[in-house]
């Protein structure tokens, strides 16, 4: 607190501070003898000066209030820190949904990229049509006749689609969506991202002038619709059995049948069901349908005046041993089972 007797400059001189002694707790000046003040003539004699002893300071009321507030705050803080907290709720991760399998047929392994895409528009009317009567030298014979099918069939989505012998070259034929003698739902034997290789009807050459075996060609994946094939037919000429295989389960539908003679043997390898049709004028069938295949005779250019020599399953009374021009002669029950199979179903004929 400021001294009540300042110097002229507003501050106490050193001699004044030395004479003051301890300050009193409240405003005022030290009491001097006779009630006087310091004389202008000189300092007062120390022997004549008496100073009251200052009383002890009391801890004021405000101090106790402050202490009480601090104590209350400490107690409140400890209560917050030590108050028991509820247990944290346990959360469990939400399981992620499992993707369901698609009904769209997909290959068992990743589809290879293969040949690059081709988006060129072609006039299919200028290309030879791939059908049962066609002879198209540019289309190759199946190079791997014993290789498995992919379990898929293909059918053109438009009126017709170009067919390639080599996807890096120009198209060499056209496959129609519809044809009088069918053969337009074809078996797939190879699949790429942009292309599928299929078996086709027709021949590369007549037997008299070349190889008349099963032909193949490439279609653009964008030009066809794919569907799963439900079965494969397996024929064993040596065991004399015909089986329908579905999902690994085998159903034997014949334990004997007639087949081609030495001069007109039954063609070997893989092919597919081209058409199923009853032909009443073929009296030997007894009215049962014929199940025609895409492959033709390896030795006959034509048969019965026709420009084709198609192999088929059909009913015949004489159905034991090598007694046909290449067709497979079966009984009523077997031909009924075979006639139920859709077009494009793969067929293996093995020695």
């Amino acid at each position: 607190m400021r001294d009540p007797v300042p110097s002229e400059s507003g501050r106490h001189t050193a001699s004044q501070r030395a004479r003051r002694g301890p300050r009193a707790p409240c405003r005022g000046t030290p009491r001097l003898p006779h009630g006087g003040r310091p004389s202008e003539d000189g300092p007062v004699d120390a022997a004549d000066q008496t100073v009251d002893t200052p009383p002890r300071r009391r801890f004021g009321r405000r101090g106790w209030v402050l202490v009480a507030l601090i104590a209350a705050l400490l107690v409140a803080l400890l209560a917050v820190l030590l108050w028991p907290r509820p247990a944290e709720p346990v959360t469990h991760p939400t399981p992620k949904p499992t993707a369901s399998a698609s009904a769209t047929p997909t290959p068992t392994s990743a589809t290879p990229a293969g040949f690059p895409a081709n988006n060129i528009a072609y006039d299919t009317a200028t290309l030879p049509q791939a059908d049962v009567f066609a002879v198209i030298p540019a289309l190759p014979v199946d190079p791997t006749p014993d290789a498995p099918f992919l379990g898929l069939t293909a059918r053109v989505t438009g009126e017709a689609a170009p067919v390639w012998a080599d996807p890096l070259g120009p198209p060499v034929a056209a496959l129609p969506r519809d044809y009088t003698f069918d053969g337009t739902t074809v078996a797939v034997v190879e699949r790429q991202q942009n292309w599928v290789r299929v078996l086709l009807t027709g021949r590369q050459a007549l037997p008299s002038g070349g190889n008349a075996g099963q032909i193949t060609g490439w279609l653009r994946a964008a030009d066809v619709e794919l569907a799963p094939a439900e079965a494969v037919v397996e024929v064993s000429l040596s065991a004399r059995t015909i089986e329908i295989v579905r999902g690994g389960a085998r159903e034997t539908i014949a334990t004997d049948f007639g087949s081609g003679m030495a001069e007109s043997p039954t063609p070997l390898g893989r092919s597919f069901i081209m058409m199923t049709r009853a032909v009443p004028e073929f009296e030997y069938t007894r009215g049962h349908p014929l199940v025609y295949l895409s492959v033709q005779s390896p030795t006959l250019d034509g048969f019965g005046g026709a420009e084709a020599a198609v192999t088929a399953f059909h009913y015949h009374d004489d159905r034991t041993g090598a007694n046909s021009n290449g067709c497979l002669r079966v009984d009523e029950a077997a031909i009924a089972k075979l006639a139920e199979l859709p077009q494009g179903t793969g067929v293996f004929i093995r020695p």
Side-chain angles (χ1 to χ4, degrees), residues 7-33:
S7 65
E8 292 179 355
S9 63
R11 297 179 183 272
H12 299 101
T13 62
S15 60
Q16 288 174 328
R17 285 196 297 268
R19 292 195 302 265
R20 276 172 44 201
R23 289 189 295 175
C26 50
R27 291 181 180 268
T29 57
R31 289 186 298 170
L32 301 178

Side-chain angles (χ1 to χ4, degrees), residues 134-136 201-207 212-213 215 296-297 300-301 307-309:
V135 177
I136 305 175
T201 59
R203 293 178 284 187
Q204 182 192 72
L206 300 177
I215 58 174
Q296 301 191 33
S297 171
L300 302 174
D301 288 354
E307 297 179 355

Side-chain angles (χ1 to χ4, degrees), residues 18-303:
R19 292 195 302 265
R20 276 172 44 201
R23 289 189 295 175
C26 50
R27 291 181 180 268
T29 57
R31 289 186 298 170
L32 301 178
H34 314 295
R37 291 181 178 271
S39 164
E40 296 179 0
D41 297 31
V44 178
D45 188 352
D48 295 331
Q49 184 178 358
T50 60
V51 180
D52 292 338
T53 302
R56 293 185 179 179
R57 296 190 182 207
R58 295 189 208 173
F59 198 74
R61 184 177 179 182
R62 293 182 181 177
W64 288 113
V65 172
L66 181 60
V67 170
L69 289 175
I70 293 174
L73 290 174
L74 291 175
V75 171
L77 180 61
L78 289 174
V80 171
L81 294 176
L82 299 179
W83 189 264
R85 297 183 181 181
E88 292 290 334
V90 179
T91 58
H92 299 280
T94 303
K96 295 182 179 179
T98 304
S100 59
S102 172
T104 302
T106 55
T108 54
S109 58
T111 303
F115 296 107
N118 180 338
N119 299 317
I120 300 174
Y122 297 92
D123 182 5
T124 55
T126 63
L127 298 170
Q129 180 171 283
D131 59 47
V132 65
F133 298 106
V135 177
I136 305 175
L139 287 175
V141 172
D142 186 5
T144 54
D146 296 323
F149 293 96
L150 290 191
L152 296 171
T153 62
R155 189 180 182 194
V156 172
T157 54
E159 183 178 346
V163 180
W164 282 259
D166 179 359
L168 297 179
V172 297
L175 178 65
R177 177 174 174 82
D178 298 298
Y179 178 62
T180 303
F181 299 104
D182 298 329
T184 57
T185 297
V186 295
V188 177
V189 294
E190 187 174 349
R191 184 181 183 186
Q192 299 179 358
Q193 290 182 4
N194 302 303
W195 301 86
V196 290
R197 188 163 68 91
V198 300
L199 303 184
L200 297 165
T201 59
R203 293 178 284 187
Q204 182 192 72
L206 300 177
S208 59
N211 188 343
Q214 174 66 60
I215 58 174
T216 71
W218 290 92
L219 296 167
R220 293 182 294 197
D223 291 337
V224 299
E225 55 189 9
L226 300 178
E230 66 174 75
V232 173
V233 180
E234 294 190 1
V235 178
S236 173
L237 297 179
S238 58
R240 313 307 291 177
T241 58
I242 301 175
E243 296 177 315
I244 298 177
V245 183
R246 291 183 176 90
R250 293 178 174 271
E251 178 188 8
T252 301
I253 62 171
T255 55
D256 194 15
F257 53 85
S259 58
M261 299 178 290
E263 63 272 22
S264 56
T266 299
L268 303 178
R270 60 185 177 180
S271 59
F272 65 92
I273 294 177
M274 176 185 75
M275 176 180 69
T276 299
R277 186 170 299 182
V279 184
E281 53 265 41
F282 294 168
E283 294 182 0
Y284 59 84
T285 65
R286 307 290 186 183
H288 296 287
L290 293 91
V291 179
Y292 292 91
L293 303 183
S294 58
V295 67
Q296 301 191 33
S297 171
T299 59
L300 302 174
D301 288 354
F303 183 76

